[in-house]
Amino acid sequence: LGTTTLVDTGTGTAMGTVVLDPDTGEITYTPTLGEAGMMVTIVYEVCSDDGVTPAPDNPVCMQATLTITVSGMDSDGDG
């Protein structure tokens, strides 16, 4: 079997916490308080190899940009 990696390239505008799950493809973002009402971007890269040729010799990689609109946030923690 091949392997798949999913990484944040760090070139987007998002300042919060990005969690990427290469098994499910799920991206979870926790924004900073200063991002409330803003649009932020996460640029990520997915790489996969065929499982036959060693990964450094035959990866297939693509980058994409995810745009998130951060809605109002509970800044005082009262729910």
Side-chain angles (χ1 to χ4, degrees):
L1 292 173
T3 58
T4 300
T5 59
L6 178 62
V7 296
D8 178 1
T9 66
T11 59
T13 61
M15 296 180 288
T17 303
V18 178
V19 177
L20 306 161
D21 185 334
D23 294 327
T24 65
E26 183 174 304
I27 299 172
T28 304
Y29 182 62
T30 304
T32 65
L33 290 176
E35 292 175 318
M38 297 176 58
M39 289 179 62
V40 299
T41 58
I42 298 169
V43 180
Y44 63 95
E45 182 174 75
V46 179
C47 292
S48 182
D49 69 67
D50 60 12
V52 177
T53 306
D57 296 331
N58 195 31
V60 175
C61 298
M62 296 293 292
Q63 285 191 0
T65 301
L66 173 64
T67 302
I68 301 169
T69 301
V70 180
S71 60
M73 297 169 50
D74 180 13
S75 61
D76 62 3
D78 65 359

